[in-house]
């Protein structure tokens, strides 16, 4: 096994790599962010990854949802991502759940971390409520047009930070989706590996009118 993870072992040693094998996470949403997260974390050595999504692949998804290809239309997104994880890394148990978050939460599956890869604020509010009730951390991520946001939530309230409403999403390109998912994955991996993580800070990234990538961060109020 260690030969597969050789470059990570060089980074933090065999003990930390073995620690990752004992960790379990749930990725809620298996589309744009979710499929990028599956690629980033599915071969990292995390012991168990639960992919949760009720939705099926559509043609307009494929350009930004990197797990899918032409011919996958009509197939469940969670199932496809779980299968890709299994194909890429035999040391990770990947479990697909063809359901929404509310249905998944009722299964009472124990995990160490939840990662939000959804596309709507109400579901993120549900994730926050669930995690607060379970004393469980979670990582928020969202993308739209050429900007995105990431936050590792521990004590702060998502509902206090964001007005929970529904809205019509703007256009989007694949690279910003992959970029935000990469930041989420880095936070997740650091946390699970026992490394320091800045919690309850919102990171906001965007390209300004000159094409410069700007990163801002804001401390969120804690309960």
């Amino acid at each position: 096994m260690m030969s597969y993870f050789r470059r990570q072992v060089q980074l933090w040693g065999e003990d930390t790599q073995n620690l990752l094998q004992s960790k379990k996470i749930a990725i809620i949403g298996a589309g744009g962010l979710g499929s990028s997260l599956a690629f980033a974390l599915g071969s990292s050595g995390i012991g168990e990854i639960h992919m949760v999504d009720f939705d099926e692949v559509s043609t307009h998804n494929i350009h930004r949802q990197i797990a899918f290809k032409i011919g996958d239309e009509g197939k469940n997104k969670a199932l496809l991502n779980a299968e890709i994880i299994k194909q890429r890394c035999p040391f990770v148990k990947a479990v697909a759940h063809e359901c929404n978050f509310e249905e998944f939460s009722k299964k009472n599956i124990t995990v160490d971390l939840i990662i939000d890869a959804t596309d709507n604020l109400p579901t993120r509010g549900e994730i926050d409520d669930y995690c607060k009730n379970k004393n469980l951390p979670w990582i928020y991520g969202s993308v739209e047009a050429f900007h995105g946001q990431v936050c590792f939530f521990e004590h702060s309230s998502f509902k206090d930070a964001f007005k929970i409403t529904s809205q019509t999403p703007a256009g989007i390109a694949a690279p910003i989706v992959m970029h935000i998912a990469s930041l989420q994955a880095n936070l997740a991996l650091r946390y699970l590996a026992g490394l320091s993580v800045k919690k309850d800070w919102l990171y906001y990234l965007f390209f300004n009118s000159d094409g410069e990538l700007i990163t801002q961060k804001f401390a969120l109020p804690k309960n």
Side-chain angles (χ1 to χ4, degrees), residues 43-116:
S43 56
S44 66
I46 295 168
E48 191 169 301
I49 299 177
H50 295 266
M51 298 295 310
V52 181
D53 204 316
F54 64 89
D55 199 14
E56 297 175 343
V57 177
S58 298
T59 302
H60 69 86
N61 298 144
I62 296 171
H63 87 281
R64 70 190 186 284
Q65 299 181 4
I66 63 173
F68 314 134
K69 61 186 183 301
I70 297 296
D72 286 335
E73 293 91 340
K75 298 178 182 178
N76 177 266
K77 296 178 180 181
L79 282 172
L80 288 173
N81 273 286
E83 186 58 34
I84 288 172
I85 292 172
K86 293 173 186 176
Q87 291 172 355
R88 296 186 70 224
C89 185
F91 309 107
V92 175
K93 179 181 179 182
V95 183
H97 300 268
E98 298 180 74
C99 61
N100 59 28
F101 176 71
E102 182 181 3
E103 293 169 323
F104 173 75
S105 67
K106 293 177 181 177
K107 297 182 180 183
N108 287 315
I109 296 171
T110 300
V111 296
D112 299 286
L113 179 69
I114 288 180
I115 307 178
D116 158 52

Side-chain angles (χ1 to χ4, degrees), residues 2-212:
M2 288 302 168
S3 62
Y4 183 97
F5 300 113
R6 183 171 65 90
R7 295 304 296 271
Q8 283 189 179
V9 172
Q10 286 179 271
L11 181 64
W12 50 43
E14 291 190 8
D15 288 345
T16 296
Q17 191 61 51
N18 285 325
L19 174 65
L20 287 176
Q21 285 280 196
S22 69
K23 301 298 183 180
K24 301 177 182 181
I25 67 171
I27 299 174
I28 314 302
L33 289 172
S35 58
S36 291
L37 284 163
F39 269 86
L41 296 175
S43 56
S44 66
I46 295 168
E48 191 169 301
I49 299 177
H50 295 266
M51 298 295 310
V52 181
D53 204 316
F54 64 89
D55 199 14
E56 297 175 343
V57 177
S58 298
T59 302
H60 69 86
N61 298 144
I62 296 171
H63 87 281
R64 70 190 186 284
Q65 299 181 4
I66 63 173
F68 314 134
K69 61 186 183 301
I70 297 296
D72 286 335
E73 293 91 340
K75 298 178 182 178
N76 177 266
K77 296 178 180 181
L79 282 172
L80 288 173
N81 273 286
E83 186 58 34
I84 288 172
I85 292 172
K86 293 173 186 176
Q87 291 172 355
R88 296 186 70 224
C89 185
F91 309 107
V92 175
K93 179 181 179 182
V95 183
H97 300 268
E98 298 180 74
C99 61
N100 59 28
F101 176 71
E102 182 181 3
E103 293 169 323
F104 173 75
S105 67
K106 293 177 181 177
K107 297 182 180 183
N108 287 315
I109 296 171
T110 300
V111 296
D112 299 286
L113 179 69
I114 288 180
I115 307 178
D116 158 52
T118 65
D119 60 0
N120 66 89
L121 292 174
T123 301
R124 290 167 179 141
E126 293 176 14
I127 293 172
D128 190 54
D129 287 342
Y130 177 83
C131 288
K132 292 296 188 294
N133 184 54
K134 297 284 187 179
N135 194 28
L136 186 68
W138 68 286
I139 299 175
Y140 156 73
S142 69
V143 289
E144 189 174 27
F146 291 105
H147 59 266
Q149 302 176 92
V150 175
C151 182
F152 189 109
F153 276 96
E154 183 179 51
H155 300 298
S156 294
S157 168
F158 178 81
K159 290 183 178 180
D160 288 344
F162 296 88
K163 183 179 180 181
I164 307 300
T165 60
S166 298
Q167 64 180 59
T168 302
I172 195 168
I176 189 66
V177 178
M178 298 167 70
H179 185 49
I180 295 301
S182 174
L183 295 177
Q184 288 181 286
N186 273 285
L187 287 172
L189 207 52
R190 287 186 62 87
Y191 173 74
L192 296 169
L195 304 176
S196 61
V197 173
K198 193 75 170 178
K199 302 171 182 176
D200 298 314
W201 281 72
L202 178 71
Y203 294 90
Y204 178 59
L205 300 89
F206 66 97
F207 284 93
N208 66 16
S209 59
D210 294 324
E212 180 184 5

